[in-house]
Amino acid sequence: RDAVDVQQLVFPGLGWFKLDAAKELLVQDTPVTHFKGAQKQVNYLLGRLNYLRDSDQSLFAWVHFIEPRRPYQQRPGFKWGKKLRNRYRSEVAYTDQQLGRLFKALDEGGWFEDSLIIVFADHGEAQGERGYYGHHNFLNAWTMDIPLMVYFPGVQPAKVGDAVQIIDIFPTVLHWWGLDY
């Protein structure tokens, strides 16, 4: 935990994520790779993890999946109908499948023994509540309530009832590294 040897950002290969303005929001000189689709992103990250573990190097990785996002697609193995809500559920199931692949590889590779893992969403998605679909127009529970899961080696699983915010992730990472904030 004293230092991180390699930093890597794995972003979607489309739109805003490829603009120069996006790089201004990131840690300076951090390598960014872009891939279309969570499956390709996980494949890249798994290859990177195996390489770094073989060379005894640590990694700080930020992987940003774009799925589920409109226009929702029916994903192979998760075809539940063409309605918008069913396509959204297909995207969620597909993303969960990719996270499952990643977590299985982390477990099999021994990464859970010495890794801080944080999973969160940047926003929710309204699915027809009050006639609204998406996430850009209103601030309500459908867009503001998001999942946040933190794995900290040696800490027993628990559900925290206190309200937290995305901004709470930064001090959590600093605490992991033993730094004051």
Side-chain angles (χ1 to χ4, degrees):
R1 288 194 245 172
D2 297 331
V4 174
D5 299 311
V6 177
Q7 297 181 65
Q8 181 70 55
L9 305 175
V10 184
F11 281 0
L14 56 107
W16 181 88
F17 295 95
K18 294 189 91 173
L19 298 176
D20 288 338
K23 294 175 187 170
E24 293 178 20
L25 301 174
L26 308 173
V27 177
Q28 190 173 10
D29 299 324
T30 300
V32 181
T33 58
H34 296 92
F35 294 95
K36 283 190 175 183
Q39 183 176 11
K40 290 179 182 176
Q41 290 174 284
V42 169
N43 290 346
Y44 174 81
L45 183 59
L46 293 178
R48 196 83 170 116
L49 286 168
N50 289 332
Y51 171 79
L52 293 171
R53 184 54 62 118
D54 289 345
S55 61
D56 199 32
Q57 294 185 63
S58 60
L59 172 68
F60 174 84
W62 173 10
V63 183
H64 188 115
F65 298 124
I66 196 74
E67 303 88 359
R69 192 176 199 97
R70 289 180 80 174
Y72 309 125
Q73 300 177 40
Q74 289 190 64
R75 299 293 179 154
F78 305 107
K79 293 187 177 184
W80 299 308
K82 295 184 179 185
K83 288 186 177 181
L84 191 65
R85 187 177 294 241
N86 291 333
R87 292 193 326 260
Y88 173 76
R89 289 177 177 156
S90 178
E91 292 266 9
V92 170
Y94 165 77
T95 305
D96 183 62
Q97 179 186 55
Q98 298 311 312
L99 282 170
R101 286 181 53 231
L102 176 60
F103 293 154
K104 181 179 178 187
L106 291 174
D107 184 37
E108 291 173 352
W111 288 91
F112 282 123
E113 297 169 17
D114 60 0
S115 298
L116 171 65
I117 301 168
I118 303 173
V119 177
F120 64 97
D122 56 347
H123 57 75
E125 205 65 14
Q127 291 295 298
E129 296 86 358
R130 298 187 184 164
Y132 173 65
Y133 291 86
H135 61 269
H136 289 292
N137 295 339
F138 302 107
L139 297 177
N140 52 38
W142 304 291
T143 59
M144 300 292 291
D145 292 347
I146 60 168
L148 171 63
M149 296 176 284
V150 178
Y151 174 81
F152 214 104
V155 175
Q156 291 299 312
K159 182 176 181 178
V160 177
D162 298 337
V164 295
Q165 301 174 42
I166 289 176
I167 197 167
D168 295 320
I169 293 171
F170 181 67
T172 301
V173 172
L174 292 179
H175 176 74
W176 166 253
W177 279 328
L179 301 173
D180 292 328
Y181 52 92

